[in-house]
Amino acid sequence: MASRGIKDQVAIVGMGCTPFGERWDASLADMLVDAATQAYTSAGVTKDEVDAYWLGTMNSGWSGMTLATALKTDFRPVTRVENFCATGSEAFRNACYAVASGAYDMAMAIGGEKLKDTGYSGLVRANPAHDGTTSTMGGPARFSLLVPAYADKYGVSRDELRRVMTRIAWKNHYNGARNPLAAFRSEVSPETIEASPKIAGDLGIYDCSGVSDGAAAAIIVRAEDAYRYTDHPIFVKALAFVAGSGRGSLDQSYDYTTFEECARSAQDAYAQAGVINPREEISMAEVHDCFTPTEMVLMEDLGFSEPGQAWRDVLDGAFDLDGVVPINTDGGLKSFGHPIGASGLRMMYECWLQLRGEAPAERQIELTGRGYGMTHNLGGMPGECVSFVSIVGRDLG
Amino acid sequence: MSSGILRYGAYVPHWRLRREAIGATLGSSAGRGTRSVASYDEDTTTLAVEAARIALHGWSGPVDEVLLATTSPAYQDKTNATAVAAALNLGSDLFSGDVVGAVRSGVAAFRSGAATEGTSLVTTADIRTGRPGSADEASGGDAAAAFLLGEGEVLAEQLASVSRSAEFLDRWRVPGATHSQVWEERFGENQYVPLAVEALSAALERAGVGVDDLDRVAVGGLHTRANAAFARRAGVARPQLSGLGAQVGNAGAAQAWLELADWLDSASPGAVAAVVVLADGVDVLVVRATEALTRNRSPRPIARQLAATRDDLSYATFLTWRGMLEREAPRRPSPDRPAAPPSERAVAWKFGFTASTCECGQRHLPPQQVCVTCGAVDRMRPESLRENRGHVATFTVDHLAYSLSPPTLSCIVDLDGGGRFASELTDADVDQLAVGTRVEMTFRRLWTTDGVHNYFWKGRPVAELGEDH
């Protein structure tokens, strides 16, 4: 299987991100226009210069018309994509390929989601007609399955894992408290986290990402054109995407302590970018902290911790703002909520800020390693999911 | 070759309600003892399936007919016995039909099954209750019994059958009503008792046995007072009667058959029992156990099932499960109704829990065309796993999932011999959720949306029933 990647062929030259939260004030169209307008301004371009659009939204609108009619994209091609929780990242990946292919000079990847208008807690999705035999387990329940399995496999007590989950929630809210765009902008004490009502298994409310609205956008050009728009473009080093076969849901060999899809997409991305030791070379990563145990397990799948060691690394502060690999420096899904189509691009927006040194001082990290940032999404559930990993960098080469 | 009972089985739900709990809530006396309660995810169809699974345990012969008798069918217009047959993987080469509406339907099904050429699986199942505080609520019960009738090595043979028909108004319910109405009970008692005494006498004469020769008299019918008076008047002694009512209550159309099954659980070869049903007339059936009974008893005797049940169900939960107490639902959309075409395409999976197993040995639940291990296409054979057991690989308590009885216990079940299934766990406590907990499958009604019942399989913890498996 070939996965050659497009290292250093395209660059991001402008980005925009709306405030996330309960946006009772804004429709999806309003938020898409806001994010797109910010991105045009950021890149110093006009709408006329963008040749094509990729829109990511999972459930808030159908077809490219959702964007075309909101933004009046003037007969430009708009492709609407959906790939579960990686929807925003999928819009980005395909826009990058379109530019790298030479088909277009400038493309916009944009994602948005309106979750708060449904009137329900959690995600709501319309399913195709079915036979009624699919498990009713919701997202929190599915991901909570990781906890007893991890405890059992590595001989870590569930009380100890509770401390790990608390640490992750505390860290991400600490970071989010330093982000004006986040939906939840307060620090949360470990006591509050542990006292929150249970949602599924060992997961309390503070172990779950919130439900919110938001949109984000990126403008992509060929790498050789990048410095025409900004002195500090962000170059795409790797784009990896994996869709699992569902083996984990069918076969007993899967033990619910890892995401094979995430490990494989990370390996692919590291190969594309030429990363040998991710813990040393990746300066920061925005990972899919849909639930706190997810982030713990991801540290192992993405190669930041040895198998069975992530829980220790979390407690040691390895992933704090001043840790070995700062994770979710913007506050993550924990602080932003998870408007599906927007999240992947919201993560990229944090890489854009951090790698350009534009994050607010109180959360700006010192760029160690190769100055690489990573974004990661997974969509689905343990055992059968899609996974996306991107690596971006400040410099060519 | 003689005709009679080839196999039998009975099913009593996991939950029982103390009658004192009714009295404590309503500030009245509802008597003592308990009544059995079908869980929120059970109906008469699923009860019948559970009893039939027990009855057919180890049976490798044909089943030519499936009958379902109940006063409370899960569907009208649509046949319910077809779902029972599908859950048992009996294929399409058989007759399936319902006998529904009256308490006497159980007798009607049994008589019809006994007269059938070939083998007939007669299932009787009922869920009985009444308005809060009513005698029907306290004395009702939920249970099922199944009998495979036919020729061959029967475990019990029929010695006599006598019926008397009588048109009078004792108990009635117009279609659509949720509760019965009854006339003054003294009137019904006056009608039933002499008729029953006479019918029993006629049946015993035909069978050539006396009342004292009866090892058990299994009495059915919802007129509690008439049932007791009949026994006294007929000279039936207390030890000849079953004590099931105190624990199970009266399961309507299934009651007499449940009591017959209970007798068969321990009867000696040669012993004789009479089934007497007082319902719009009287029916008497006299049967004698044979030597074959010792080889073909139910693998799950009722007494052992009862010993493994829970009797601490709260009255509020009972009312909720029966739809008499509408509680606030989680802030989640109600689940979709299952669609007819995909349900039909997947009937072997949805009803029969039939997986697909690849030539390479990999099992797939749900069935797949392409093997997830070796990638082979269409090299699968169907394999029903409903009688397989497994263990919990990991688990959760889902407070967010839509359920009539939240929270939902869910787990990943790894089946013995391969295959994995994401399952709800029913009839279970949170403290039974652990990696390694032994699980077996049970046929349930997951939910009902737009009047469509979503039948499928769940796991339940394996109870210590002492059976051979």
Side-chain angles (χ1 to χ4, degrees):
Chain A
M1 187 197 105
S3 177
R4 280 181 267 278
I6 54 166
K7 185 181 180 184
D8 288 337
Q9 293 182 41
V10 303
I12 304 169
V13 294
M15 285 203 74
C17 184
T18 70
F20 280 36
E22 296 181 325
R23 295 293 306 272
W24 311 119
D25 62 310
S27 66
L28 178 75
D30 295 337
M31 295 189 298
L32 291 174
V33 170
D34 182 11
T37 304
Q38 284 187 44
Y40 297 139
T41 305
S42 166
V45 301
T46 65
K47 188 166 69 179
D48 285 347
E49 293 174 74
V50 178
D51 303 312
Y53 293 81
W54 271 260
L55 165 69
T57 189
M58 181 164 149
N59 215 17
S60 305
W62 315 116
S63 94
M65 295 303 287
T66 301
L67 181 71
T69 55
L71 199 57
K72 315 295 185 298
T73 47
D74 195 22
F75 300 96
R76 309 294 159 95
V78 182
T79 305
R80 180 250 175 173
V81 299
E82 181 280 313
N83 228 333
F84 280 174
C85 298
T87 294
S89 291
E90 190 69 324
F92 179 74
R93 188 171 73 104
N94 285 280
C96 288
Y97 291 157
V99 172
S101 75
Y104 302 108
D105 294 333
M106 183 180 291
M108 175 180 283
I110 185 166
E113 205 76 49
K114 195 87 186 85
L115 297 179
K116 291 304 299 184
D117 285 2
T118 64
Y120 292 110
S121 318
L123 298 180
V124 176
R125 192 175 89 206
N127 292 308
H130 58 81
D131 66 9
T133 66
T134 307
S135 166
T136 55
M137 263 187 279
R142 287 287 189 176
F143 284 86
S144 72
L145 295 172
L146 298 168
V147 180
Y150 192 96
D152 190 62
K153 179 174 182 181
Y154 293 115
V156 187
S157 75
R158 282 167 71 184
D159 286 345
E160 190 80 276
L161 286 184
R162 177 63 265 171
R163 288 179 52 218
V164 175
M165 291 153 63
T166 299
R167 177 62 183 243
I168 289 168
W170 171 84
K171 167 185 71 77
N172 290 352
H173 280 298
Y174 177 93
N175 297 349
R178 285 146 185 79
N179 193 331
L181 296 181
F184 306 99
R185 296 183 297 274
S186 327
E187 293 182 28
V188 183
S189 73
E191 295 73 28
T192 303
I193 291 165
E194 294 189 1
S196 68
K198 288 282 178 281
I199 299 293
D202 290 339
L203 305 188
I205 283 177
Y206 280 104
D207 294 300
C208 308
S209 61
V211 176
S212 67
D213 309 318
I219 290 177
I220 299 139
V221 301
R222 281 187 293 277
E224 68 247 37
D225 299 334
Y227 289 105
R228 287 163 49 188
Y229 301 97
T230 174
D231 292 339
H232 301 289
I234 301 298
F235 297 97
V236 173
K237 304 292 180 183
L239 296 169
F241 192 88
V242 161
S245 61
R247 184 183 169 105
S249 295
L250 294 166
D251 187 63
Q252 299 182 6
S253 62
Y254 174 62
D255 66 7
Y256 285 86
T257 66
T258 177
F259 303 97
E260 183 181 356
E261 294 86 347
C262 298
R264 284 174 178 264
S265 57
Q267 285 156 14
D268 183 10
Y270 294 143
Q272 291 178 32
V275 169
I276 307 296
N277 184 342
R279 191 174 165 114
E280 303 292 325
E281 296 173 62
I282 301 294
S283 305
M284 54 147 314
E286 290 284 304
V287 310
H288 201 83
D289 59 325
C290 52
F291 304 97
T292 52
T294 316
E295 181 170 320
M296 174 185 71
V297 166
L298 284 172
M299 295 303 95
E300 299 176 9
D301 292 334
L302 300 177
F304 300 138
S305 294
E306 294 298 317
Q309 294 302 315
W311 66 276
R312 257 187 241 279
D313 288 344
V314 168
L315 292 177
D316 289 346
F319 310 118
D320 292 357
L321 220 42
D322 58 355
V324 184
V325 188
I327 300 291
N328 292 330
T329 55
D330 63 352
L333 298 165
K334 280 294 301 126
S335 302
F336 271 83
H338 185 21
I340 317 293
S343 289
L345 286 155
R346 181 270 301 165
M347 293 171 161
M348 188 58 76
Y349 185 72
E350 179 66 1
C351 293
W352 168 259
L353 294 179
Q354 290 284 0
L355 267 51
R356 287 157 54 97
E358 293 176 348
E362 52 184 354
R363 74 164 205 278
Q364 175 69 49
I365 62 161
E366 195 183 331
L367 285 185
T368 56
R370 296 168 67 171
Y372 279 0
M374 170 195 278
T375 69
H376 162 268
N377 293 114
L378 83 90
M381 56 202 184
E384 51 180 295
C385 64
V386 298
S387 176
F388 168 85
V389 172
S390 82
I391 298 171
V392 294
R394 287 175 303 177
D395 308 308
L396 282 169
Chain B
M1 297 282 274
S2 61
S3 179
I5 301 170
L6 292 163
R7 291 288 192 280
Y8 77 98
Y11 173 72
V12 181
H14 182 68
W15 299 98
R16 282 182 292 136
L17 174 68
R18 290 191 194 116
R19 296 187 178 110
E20 286 165 355
I22 304 174
T25 302
L26 299 181
S28 58
S29 172
R32 302 173 61 147
T34 62
R35 57 153 296 162
S36 61
V37 179
S39 188
Y40 69 95
D41 57 2
E42 295 183 299
D43 62 19
T44 50
T45 299
T46 69
L47 296 181
V49 169
E50 291 302 304
R53 287 174 68 195
I54 296 168
L56 293 185
H57 181 77
W59 173 258
S60 54
V63 176
D64 300 311
E65 172 177 277
V66 176
L67 300 176
L68 170 59
T70 181
T71 65
S72 50
Y75 285 120
Q76 293 181 342
D77 289 1
K78 180 184 178 345
T79 302
N80 297 285
T82 51
V84 177
L88 298 168
N89 292 106
L90 294 177
S92 58
D93 193 11
L94 80 168
F95 172 76
S96 57
D98 297 348
V99 189
V100 299
V103 173
R104 205 174 195 177
S105 299
V107 179
F110 199 94
R111 285 175 60 95
S112 171
T116 294
E117 198 179 324
T119 55
S120 175
L121 179 66
V122 177
T123 64
T124 63
D126 236 335
I127 294 179
R128 298 294 313 181
T129 189
R131 287 194 181 85
S134 66
D136 278 0
E137 178 189 57
S139 66
D142 307 336
F147 295 86
L148 184 68
L149 306 181
E151 293 188 348
E153 195 193 52
V154 300
L155 55 82
E157 58 192 342
Q158 183 176 311
L159 299 182
S161 170
V162 164
S163 285
R164 300 286 183 260
S165 184
E167 170 54 36
F168 61 93
L169 196 62
D170 169 56
R171 168 183 291 272
W172 68 98
R173 180 156 60 106
V174 293
T178 51
H179 310 300
S180 304
Q181 291 175 274
V182 290
W183 202 262
E184 181 197 353
E185 65 177 359
R186 289 280 299 142
F187 170 67
E189 179 185 358
N190 193 57
Q191 299 298 307
Y192 275 127
V193 173
L195 203 59
V197 170
E198 183 274 323
L200 177 66
S201 169
L204 293 181
E205 189 178 326
R206 225 177 270 183
V209 296
V211 165
D212 297 341
D213 299 326
L214 295 175
D215 192 39
R216 174 70 57 88
V217 179
V219 184
L222 287 171
H223 199 308
T224 308
R225 198 181 161 105
N227 292 353
F230 146 72
R232 275 197 309 276
R233 196 86 72 78
V236 176
R238 190 171 286 270
Q240 290 171 283
L241 297 167
S242 111
L244 277 182
Q247 283 184 283
V248 175
N250 190 324
Q255 185 62 22
W257 312 104
L258 187 75
E259 298 202 2
L260 177 61
D262 180 54
W263 174 69
L264 290 169
D265 283 342
S266 58
S268 304
V272 178
V275 176
V276 184
V277 179
L278 287 66
D280 308 312
V282 175
D283 301 287
V284 181
L285 179 73
V286 183
V287 297
R288 179 165 58 206
T290 72
E291 202 61 47
L293 175 60
T294 55
R295 293 188 294 278
N296 294 318
R297 284 193 212 274
S298 161
R300 296 197 171 191
I302 293 170
R304 279 196 225 149
Q305 288 186 50
L306 278 169
T309 57
R310 291 268 304 265
D311 67 353
D312 57 349
L313 187 70
S314 81
Y315 184 49
T317 303
F318 167 77
L319 290 176
T320 306
W321 286 0
R322 290 291 84 84
M324 284 188 267
L325 188 60
E326 198 179 338
R327 306 258 288 263
E328 181 73 9
R331 201 159 188 79
R332 298 286 296 160
S334 39
D336 308 331
R337 70 175 183 190
S343 299
E344 188 279 331
R345 286 193 295 272
V347 70
W349 162 241
K350 182 176 175 62
F351 289 86
F353 206 60
T354 301
S356 70
T357 304
C358 182
E359 281 177 354
C360 78
Q362 178 70 45
R363 276 181 182 158
H364 303 83
L365 302 87
Q368 307 283 314
Q369 261 188 291
V370 180
C371 178
V372 77
T373 293
C374 74
V377 182
D378 288 335
R379 297 292 179 86
M380 306 282 181
R381 65 183 167 84
E383 189 179 12
S384 175
L385 300 176
R386 71 168 193 272
E387 304 303 335
N388 276 46
R389 291 179 170 182
H391 68 271
V392 171
T394 184
F395 58 88
T396 190
V397 182
D398 194 343
H399 299 268
L400 201 57
Y402 175 91
S403 171
L404 281 174
S405 198
T408 304
L409 310 187
S410 287
C411 58
I412 303 299
V413 177
D414 282 350
L415 291 159
D416 298 349
R420 168 170 279 184
F421 176 58
S423 176
E424 270 188 48
L425 204 62
T426 193
D427 295 347
D429 295 321
V430 172
D431 59 18
Q432 288 175 289
L433 273 177
V435 173
T437 294
R438 295 291 290 163
V439 171
E440 62 185 8
M441 305 313 300
T442 177
F443 187 70
R444 297 295 166 120
R445 185 164 105 185
L446 270 53
W447 65 75
T448 299
T449 299
D450 297 343
V452 181
H453 304 314
N454 187 24
Y455 291 111
F456 191 47
W457 295 81
K458 291 183 178 180
R460 71 175 162 216
V462 175
E464 293 306 322
L465 294 172
E467 67 206 86
D468 303 325
H469 238 302

